[in-house]
Amino acid sequence: MKAGPLIAASAVFFFLWVIMPVTLASHGSIGPGSVIFLLSLISLVGSVEFLRGMRRESSRWFWGIPFAAVCTALLLWTGITEWVVLDHPGNPAFQMTFFLPPAAALLLCSFPDDCRARLRIPTGVVAILGIVSLFLASGAFFIPTPVPAPGVMEFVGPLYALLLMPVVGLILIVAGVACR
């Protein structure tokens, strides 16, 4: 297994760290939707290449399919709907990123048996972050706020995007390097 595809697959986890300098450098002409689209494309290509390689090495390769599906959904949302649908509450592209950590936990479970044994702690950390992520997703998708007042998402959302998502991305990179 090569580490390159898994490093590429982790690109989407650093979306906020890429959006900030790109938006500042382009003086706002390149928006967050375009950056997330590009990072989703890189992650989708990386995850498909990773799955192609895993098919030969692991009988559990199909556990990585949900990660590729989430990257595809994110790519389609930012590529089509983000530029067509002008009036939508919140940022659905950001809300879809909540499904990345649980899918990444499944991706880590698709490793071969000998490598998966070494990745129990990182997989557990990603799974716990995935549970937190699903909790945040339930708040973002299913519980509408009756009054437009600051809620949990206004405080936890940036913390999630700035810290928790990059931690998952770094764990994927470390797992790819550790299991070469």
Side-chain angles (χ1 to χ4, degrees):
M1 167 179 54
K2 295 181 181 176
L6 201 55
I7 291 171
S10 70
V12 75
F13 289 102
F14 301 99
F15 71 93
L16 197 56
W17 288 100
V18 175
I19 287 173
M20 291 185 292
V22 167
T23 304
L24 288 173
S26 68
H27 301 290
S29 62
I30 299 175
S34 301
V35 174
I36 293 176
F37 176 80
L38 180 62
L39 291 175
S40 299
L41 181 64
I42 292 169
S43 291
L44 177 63
V45 170
S47 63
V48 168
E49 284 300 312
F50 175 76
L51 290 175
R52 287 182 62 213
M54 273 295 109
R55 243 177 43 193
R56 291 184 286 270
E57 296 180 29
S58 175
S59 61
R60 295 177 178 230
W61 66 271
F62 55 88
W63 285 58
I65 292 174
F67 185 77
V70 171
C71 288
T72 302
L74 192 58
L75 180 77
L76 290 175
W77 180 262
T78 56
I80 297 169
T81 315
E82 185 76 18
W83 292 308
V84 175
V85 179
L86 298 176
D87 186 28
H88 51 74
N91 187 350
F94 176 70
Q95 293 170 350
M96 289 187 77
T97 62
F98 291 128
F99 298 109
L100 286 168
L106 291 174
L107 184 71
L108 288 173
C109 290
S110 71
F111 279 72
D113 292 334
D114 59 336
C115 184
R116 200 172 52 247
R118 288 183 274 159
L119 294 176
R120 286 193 180 146
I121 292 175
T123 303
V125 170
V126 173
I128 289 170
L129 292 177
I131 291 169
V132 170
S133 180
L134 288 176
F135 176 72
L136 292 173
S138 70
F141 283 112
F142 304 119
I143 305 171
T145 55
V147 222
V152 173
M153 287 308 299
E154 282 74 18
F155 300 109
V156 177
L159 177 70
Y160 171 79
L162 282 170
L163 298 176
L164 297 181
M165 291 290 283
V167 165
V168 175
L170 288 173
I171 289 174
L172 283 179
I173 291 170
V174 168
V177 171
C179 291
R180 289 190 281 168

